PDB file of all heavy atoms in Angstrom:
ATOM      1  N   TRP A  83      80.873  87.746  64.564  1.00  0.00           N
ATOM      2  CA  TRP A  83      81.215  89.137  64.236  1.00  0.00           C
ATOM      3  C   TRP A  83      81.194  90.022  65.488  1.00  0.00           C
ATOM      4  O   TRP A  83      81.950  90.985  65.605  1.00  0.00           O
ATOM      5  CB  TRP A  83      80.256  89.705  63.181  1.00  0.00           C
ATOM      6  CG  TRP A  83      78.830  89.806  63.620  1.00  0.00           C
ATOM      7  CD1 TRP A  83      77.834  88.904  63.432  1.00  0.00           C
ATOM      8  CD2 TRP A  83      78.230  90.887  64.359  1.00  0.00           C
ATOM      9  NE1 TRP A  83      76.669  89.324  63.999  1.00  0.00           N
ATOM     10  CE2 TRP A  83      76.870  90.540  64.569  1.00  0.00           C
ATOM     11  CE3 TRP A  83      78.693  92.101  64.864  1.00  0.00           C
ATOM     12  CZ2 TRP A  83      75.985  91.372  65.243  1.00  0.00           C
ATOM     13  CZ3 TRP A  83      77.805  92.926  65.545  1.00  0.00           C
ATOM     14  CH2 TRP A  83      76.478  92.560  65.727  1.00  0.00           C
ATOM     15  N   SER A  84      80.332  89.687  66.451  1.00  0.00           N
ATOM     16  CA  SER A  84      80.223  90.500  67.655  1.00  0.00           C
ATOM     17  C   SER A  84      81.437  90.355  68.581  1.00  0.00           C
ATOM     18  O   SER A  84      81.548  91.078  69.575  1.00  0.00           O
ATOM     19  CB  SER A  84      78.954  90.133  68.423  1.00  0.00           C
ATOM     20  OG  SER A  84      78.983  88.774  68.805  1.00  0.00           O
ATOM     21  N   ASP A  85      82.331  89.431  68.272  1.00  0.00           N
ATOM     22  CA  ASP A  85      83.544  89.281  69.081  1.00  0.00           C
ATOM     23  C   ASP A  85      84.607  90.314  68.740  1.00  0.00           C
ATOM     24  O   ASP A  85      85.627  90.421  69.439  1.00  0.00           O
ATOM     25  CB  ASP A  85      84.138  87.876  68.904  1.00  0.00           C
ATOM     26  CG  ASP A  85      83.242  86.786  69.461  1.00  0.00           C
ATOM     27  OD1 ASP A  85      82.589  87.024  70.494  1.00  0.00           O
ATOM     28  OD2 ASP A  85      83.189  85.691  68.848  1.00  0.00           O
ATOM     29  N   ALA A  86      84.401  91.078  67.686  1.00  0.00           N
ATOM     30  CA  ALA A  86      85.367  92.112  67.321  1.00  0.00           C
ATOM     31  C   ALA A  86      85.486  93.119  68.460  1.00  0.00           C
ATOM     32  O   ALA A  86      84.496  93.741  68.858  1.00  0.00           O
ATOM     33  CB  ALA A  86      84.941  92.813  66.042  1.00  0.00           C
ATOM     34  N   ALA A  87      86.677  93.256  68.990  1.00  0.00           N
ATOM     35  CA  ALA A  87      86.918  94.088  70.180  1.00  0.00           C
ATOM     36  C   ALA A  87      88.403  94.027  70.474  1.00  0.00           C
ATOM     37  O   ALA A  87      89.190  93.450  69.730  1.00  0.00           O
ATOM     38  CB  ALA A  87      86.112  93.572  71.370  1.00  0.00           C
ATOM     39  N   GLU A  88      88.777  94.628  71.582  1.00  0.00           N
ATOM     40  CA  GLU A  88      90.163  94.519  72.035  1.00  0.00           C
ATOM     41  C   GLU A  88      90.202  93.647  73.284  1.00  0.00           C
ATOM     42  O   GLU A  88      89.342  93.774  74.164  1.00  0.00           O
ATOM     43  CB  GLU A  88      90.753  95.897  72.330  1.00  0.00           C
ATOM     44  CG  GLU A  88      92.250  95.868  72.550  1.00  0.00           C
ATOM     45  CD  GLU A  88      92.932  97.186  72.218  1.00  0.00           C
ATOM     46  OE1 GLU A  88      92.246  98.227  72.170  1.00  0.00           O
ATOM     47  OE2 GLU A  88      94.168  97.176  72.000  1.00  0.00           O
ATOM     48  N   TYR A  89      91.200  92.792  73.343  1.00  0.00           N
ATOM     49  CA  TYR A  89      91.289  91.799  74.409  1.00  0.00           C
ATOM     50  C   TYR A  89      92.570  92.039  75.214  1.00  0.00           C
ATOM     51  O   TYR A  89      93.656  92.191  74.654  1.00  0.00           O
ATOM     52  CB  TYR A  89      91.290  90.387  73.824  1.00  0.00           C
ATOM     53  CG  TYR A  89      89.955  90.038  73.209  1.00  0.00           C
ATOM     54  CD1 TYR A  89      89.613  90.500  71.937  1.00  0.00           C
ATOM     55  CD2 TYR A  89      89.013  89.291  73.905  1.00  0.00           C
ATOM     56  CE1 TYR A  89      88.372  90.215  71.378  1.00  0.00           C
ATOM     57  CE2 TYR A  89      87.775  88.994  73.357  1.00  0.00           C
ATOM     58  CZ  TYR A  89      87.466  89.465  72.085  1.00  0.00           C
ATOM     59  OH  TYR A  89      86.238  89.187  71.539  1.00  0.00           O
ATOM     60  N   PHE A  90      92.399  92.050  76.520  1.00  0.00           N
ATOM     61  CA  PHE A  90      93.518  92.311  77.415  1.00  0.00           C
ATOM     62  C   PHE A  90      93.722  91.136  78.365  1.00  0.00           C
ATOM     63  O   PHE A  90      92.781  90.670  78.995  1.00  0.00           O
ATOM     64  CB  PHE A  90      93.265  93.579  78.239  1.00  0.00           C
ATOM     65  CG  PHE A  90      93.254  94.839  77.439  1.00  0.00           C
ATOM     66  CD1 PHE A  90      92.064  95.371  76.964  1.00  0.00           C
ATOM     67  CD2 PHE A  90      94.438  95.503  77.156  1.00  0.00           C
ATOM     68  CE1 PHE A  90      92.043  96.543  76.219  1.00  0.00           C
ATOM     69  CE2 PHE A  90      94.433  96.680  76.414  1.00  0.00           C
ATOM     70  CZ  PHE A  90      93.235  97.192  75.945  1.00  0.00           C
ATOM     71  N   CYS A  91      94.959  90.733  78.471  1.00  0.00           N
ATOM     72  CA  CYS A  91      95.372  89.742  79.452  1.00  0.00           C
ATOM     73  C   CYS A  91      95.945  90.491  80.652  1.00  0.00           C
ATOM     74  O   CYS A  91      96.602  91.542  80.483  1.00  0.00           O
ATOM     75  CB  CYS A  91      96.426  88.838  78.829  1.00  0.00           C
ATOM     76  SG  CYS A  91      97.065  87.538  79.885  1.00  0.00           S
ATOM     77  N   ALA A  92      95.710  89.993  81.850  1.00  0.00           N
ATOM     78  CA  ALA A  92      96.210  90.665  83.048  1.00  0.00           C
ATOM     79  C   ALA A  92      96.642  89.622  84.069  1.00  0.00           C
ATOM     80  O   ALA A  92      96.130  88.496  84.099  1.00  0.00           O
ATOM     81  CB  ALA A  92      95.139  91.579  83.643  1.00  0.00           C
ATOM     82  N   VAL A  93      97.578  90.019  84.911  1.00  0.00           N
ATOM     83  CA  VAL A  93      98.103  89.132  85.958  1.00  0.00           C
ATOM     84  C   VAL A  93      98.150  89.858  87.284  1.00  0.00           C
ATOM     85  O   VAL A  93      98.361  91.076  87.344  1.00  0.00           O
ATOM     86  CB  VAL A  93      99.501  88.604  85.561  1.00  0.00           C
ATOM     87  CG1 VAL A  93     100.529  89.726  85.514  1.00  0.00           C
ATOM     88  CG2 VAL A  93      99.977  87.516  86.514  1.00  0.00           C
ATOM     89  N   GLY A  94      97.934  89.148  88.366  1.00  0.00           N
ATOM     90  CA  GLY A  94      98.053  89.688  89.698  1.00  0.00           C
ATOM     91  C   GLY A  94      98.357  88.568  90.669  1.00  0.00           C
ATOM     92  O   GLY A  94      98.446  87.408  90.250  1.00  0.00           O
ATOM     93  N   PRO A  95      98.396  88.772  91.924  1.00  0.00           N
ATOM     94  CA  PRO A  95      98.278  90.088  92.523  1.00  0.00           C
ATOM     95  C   PRO A  95      99.560  90.523  93.210  1.00  0.00           C
ATOM     96  O   PRO A  95     100.144  89.769  93.952  1.00  0.00           O
ATOM     97  CB  PRO A  95      97.234  89.842  93.603  1.00  0.00           C
ATOM     98  CG  PRO A  95      97.534  88.436  94.061  1.00  0.00           C
ATOM     99  CD  PRO A  95      98.162  87.719  92.883  1.00  0.00           C
ATOM    100  N   PRO A  96      99.947  91.706  93.027  1.00  0.00           N
ATOM    101  CA  PRO A  96     100.826  92.296  94.032  1.00  0.00           C
ATOM    102  C   PRO A  96     100.056  92.388  95.354  1.00  0.00           C
ATOM    103  O   PRO A  96      98.841  92.254  95.325  1.00  0.00           O
ATOM    104  CB  PRO A  96     101.145  93.681  93.468  1.00  0.00           C
ATOM    105  CG  PRO A  96     100.831  93.575  92.005  1.00  0.00           C
ATOM    106  CD  PRO A  96      99.721  92.585  91.898  1.00  0.00           C
ATOM    107  N   PRO A  97     100.704  92.618  96.440  1.00  0.00           N
ATOM    108  CA  PRO A  97      99.988  92.544  97.721  1.00  0.00           C
ATOM    109  C   PRO A  97      98.757  93.415  97.789  1.00  0.00           C
ATOM    110  O   PRO A  97      97.803  93.077  98.473  1.00  0.00           O
ATOM    111  CB  PRO A  97     101.051  93.014  98.734  1.00  0.00           C
ATOM    112  CG  PRO A  97     102.345  92.700  98.091  1.00  0.00           C
ATOM    113  CD  PRO A  97     102.133  92.868  96.623  1.00  0.00           C
ATOM    114  N   THR A  98      98.762  94.525  97.118  1.00  0.00           N
ATOM    115  CA  THR A  98      97.608  95.413  97.228  1.00  0.00           C
ATOM    116  C   THR A  98      96.583  95.171  96.137  1.00  0.00           C
ATOM    117  O   THR A  98      95.652  95.940  95.992  1.00  0.00           O
ATOM    118  CB  THR A  98      98.060  96.873  97.198  1.00  0.00           C
ATOM    119  OG1 THR A  98      98.948  97.068  96.087  1.00  0.00           O
ATOM    120  CG2 THR A  98      98.764  97.244  98.475  1.00  0.00           C
ATOM    121  N   GLY A  99      96.744  94.135  95.351  1.00  0.00           N
ATOM    122  CA  GLY A  99      95.644  93.719  94.500  1.00  0.00           C
ATOM    123  C   GLY A  99      95.561  94.376  93.148  1.00  0.00           C
ATOM    124  O   GLY A  99      94.622  94.112  92.412  1.00  0.00           O
ATOM    125  N   ASN A 100      96.476  95.248  92.792  1.00  0.00           N
ATOM    126  CA  ASN A 100      96.368  95.843  91.468  1.00  0.00           C
ATOM    127  C   ASN A 100      96.854  94.871  90.401  1.00  0.00           C
ATOM    128  O   ASN A 100      97.681  94.003  90.659  1.00  0.00           O
ATOM    129  CB  ASN A 100      97.145  97.151  91.375  1.00  0.00           C
ATOM    130  CG  ASN A 100      98.556  97.030  91.898  1.00  0.00           C
ATOM    131  OD1 ASN A 100      98.766  96.673  93.033  1.00  0.00           O
ATOM    132  ND2 ASN A 100      99.521  97.332  91.066  1.00  0.00           N
ATOM    133  N   LEU A 101      96.311  94.994  89.229  1.00  0.00           N
ATOM    134  CA  LEU A 101      96.606  94.099  88.130  1.00  0.00           C
ATOM    135  C   LEU A 101      97.609  94.724  87.169  1.00  0.00           C
ATOM    136  O   LEU A 101      97.658  95.938  87.002  1.00  0.00           O
ATOM    137  CB  LEU A 101      95.331  93.766  87.360  1.00  0.00           C
ATOM    138  CG  LEU A 101      94.253  92.984  88.117  1.00  0.00           C
ATOM    139  CD1 LEU A 101      93.041  92.768  87.230  1.00  0.00           C
ATOM    140  CD2 LEU A 101      94.799  91.670  88.625  1.00  0.00           C
ATOM    141  N   ILE A 102      98.390  93.857  86.529  1.00  0.00           N
ATOM    142  CA  ILE A 102      99.301  94.269  85.470  1.00  0.00           C
ATOM    143  C   ILE A 102      98.706  93.802  84.157  1.00  0.00           C
ATOM    144  O   ILE A 102      98.442  92.611  83.974  1.00  0.00           O
ATOM    145  CB  ILE A 102     100.697  93.662  85.679  1.00  0.00           C
ATOM    146  CG1 ILE A 102     101.264  94.128  87.021  1.00  0.00           C
ATOM    147  CG2 ILE A 102     101.634  94.060  84.534  1.00  0.00           C
ATOM    148  CD1 ILE A 102     102.454  93.333  87.480  1.00  0.00           C
ATOM    149  N   PHE A 103      98.491  94.747  83.256  1.00  0.00           N
ATOM    150  CA  PHE A 103      97.833  94.449  81.984  1.00  0.00           C
ATOM    151  C   PHE A 103      98.834  94.385  80.841  1.00  0.00           C
ATOM    152  O   PHE A 103      99.840  95.112  80.816  1.00  0.00           O
ATOM    153  CB  PHE A 103      96.808  95.541  81.654  1.00  0.00           C
ATOM    154  CG  PHE A 103      95.518  95.419  82.408  1.00  0.00           C
ATOM    155  CD1 PHE A 103      95.392  95.936  83.680  1.00  0.00           C
ATOM    156  CD2 PHE A 103      94.423  94.798  81.839  1.00  0.00           C
ATOM    157  CE1 PHE A 103      94.201  95.830  84.387  1.00  0.00           C
ATOM    158  CE2 PHE A 103      93.218  94.687  82.526  1.00  0.00           C
ATOM    159  CZ  PHE A 103      93.115  95.205  83.805  1.00  0.00           C
ATOM    160  N   GLY A 104      98.526  93.530  79.860  1.00  0.00           N
ATOM    161  CA  GLY A 104      99.212  93.590  78.585  1.00  0.00           C
ATOM    162  C   GLY A 104      98.697  94.761  77.768  1.00  0.00           C
ATOM    163  O   GLY A 104      97.735  95.435  78.154  1.00  0.00           O
ATOM    164  N   LYS A 105      99.327  94.986  76.614  1.00  0.00           N
ATOM    165  CA  LYS A 105      98.949  96.128  75.785  1.00  0.00           C
ATOM    166  C   LYS A 105      97.717  95.857  74.935  1.00  0.00           C
ATOM    167  O   LYS A 105      97.209  96.752  74.279  1.00  0.00           O
ATOM    168  CB  LYS A 105     100.120  96.541  74.901  1.00  0.00           C
ATOM    169  CG  LYS A 105     101.266  97.150  75.689  1.00  0.00           C
ATOM    170  CD  LYS A 105     102.314  97.761  74.771  1.00  0.00           C
ATOM    171  CE  LYS A 105     103.395  98.445  75.597  1.00  0.00           C
ATOM    172  NZ  LYS A 105     104.411  99.102  74.749  1.00  0.00           N
ATOM    173  N   GLY A 106      97.265  94.625  74.932  1.00  0.00           N
ATOM    174  CA  GLY A 106      96.032  94.313  74.235  1.00  0.00           C
ATOM    175  C   GLY A 106      96.239  93.769  72.836  1.00  0.00           C
ATOM    176  O   GLY A 106      97.265  94.025  72.192  1.00  0.00           O
ATOM    177  N   THR A 107      95.263  92.991  72.391  1.00  0.00           N
ATOM    178  CA  THR A 107      95.204  92.503  71.019  1.00  0.00           C
ATOM    179  C   THR A 107      93.859  92.910  70.441  1.00  0.00           C
ATOM    180  O   THR A 107      92.810  92.588  71.007  1.00  0.00           O
ATOM    181  CB  THR A 107      95.331  90.977  70.943  1.00  0.00           C
ATOM    182  OG1 THR A 107      96.604  90.580  71.436  1.00  0.00           O
ATOM    183  CG2 THR A 107      95.167  90.497  69.504  1.00  0.00           C
TER     184      THR A 107
END
Side-chain angles (χ1 to χ4, degrees):
Chain A
W83 64 266
S84 60
D85 294 324
E88 191 154 20
Y89 292 79
F90 293 95
C91 180
V93 66
T98 49
N100 49 302
L101 295 178
I102 300 165
F103 282 84
K105 291 189 176 182
T107 297

